[in-house]
Amino acid sequence: MLGYSNFTEYVRIGKKNGEENPIAYALSESRRKGILTDYFAHLSKEEQSMIFGEWDWDAYLKVHAEEAFEDGLIEGAHAKTRENAKNFLKLGVESNIIAQGCSLPLEEVLALKEEIETELAAGKKTAGSCSTCR
């Protein structure tokens, strides 16, 4: 708590002395004197910007939307790759070749192969249990 009190005092001093950015002044003084160094070291750039008044809501929303779009593209591409791998498995292509060709870990391709086998087994059980299908 003492460190935070010192930090806020440096903000007041910065304001009083006419510093252009009193918070940046307080941060500089705190770092110089070893105050709250652990706290500031664990903050991300975004968190530091929010604390020190450099944060812009519109810019945040824009970056967040771009990141979400990029994440969606990556997730969509991975889903398509998995779909392609499943199709190759159904065609009888060897798992190691699919892993290499689709740039998927072999373990993931083997898990997809198990999914297909489970789906096929469930389909056979369902088809055989239907009284009208006999």
Side-chain angles (χ1 to χ4, degrees):
M1 198 61 148
L2 179 62
Y4 181 75
S5 296
N6 288 336
F7 178 79
T8 56
E9 183 59 28
Y10 289 130
V11 173
R12 286 188 200 106
I13 291 169
K15 281 184 175 181
K16 181 180 174 186
N17 293 342
E19 292 287 334
E20 184 178 326
N21 187 340
I23 296 173
Y25 169 80
L27 177 61
S28 174
E29 287 298 305
S30 295
R31 283 186 177 146
R32 192 170 62 81
K33 295 184 180 180
I35 298 169
L36 297 175
T37 53
D38 289 340
Y39 174 73
F40 292 126
H42 290 88
L43 295 177
S44 69
K45 291 290 185 188
E46 184 176 342
E47 290 168 327
Q48 287 182 26
S49 294
M50 290 171 69
I51 290 171
F52 304 123
E54 301 164 359
W55 195 66
D56 178 351
W57 181 251
D58 292 331
Y60 166 76
L61 290 176
K62 182 179 177 187
V63 168
H64 183 70
E66 289 171 357
E67 288 173 352
F69 180 75
E70 289 172 7
D71 289 346
L73 288 177
I74 291 167
E75 288 174 22
H78 187 72
K80 185 63 179 169
T81 300
R82 288 174 53 88
E83 180 184 331
N84 288 339
K86 281 180 115 175
N87 289 336
F88 286 128
L89 285 165
K90 289 174 185 175
L91 292 171
V93 178
E94 293 181 31
S95 299
N96 61 335
I97 292 173
I98 296 169
Q100 186 177 10
C102 291
S103 299
L104 289 173
L106 180 59
E107 295 79 19
E108 188 170 354
V109 175
L110 293 173
L112 291 171
K113 187 174 184 177
E114 284 183 30
E115 276 181 36
I116 293 169
E117 290 169 354
T118 302
E119 290 169 4
L120 289 174
K124 287 179 183 175
K125 287 180 186 176
T126 305
S129 64
C130 176
S131 62
T132 57
C133 299
R134 292 181 192 158

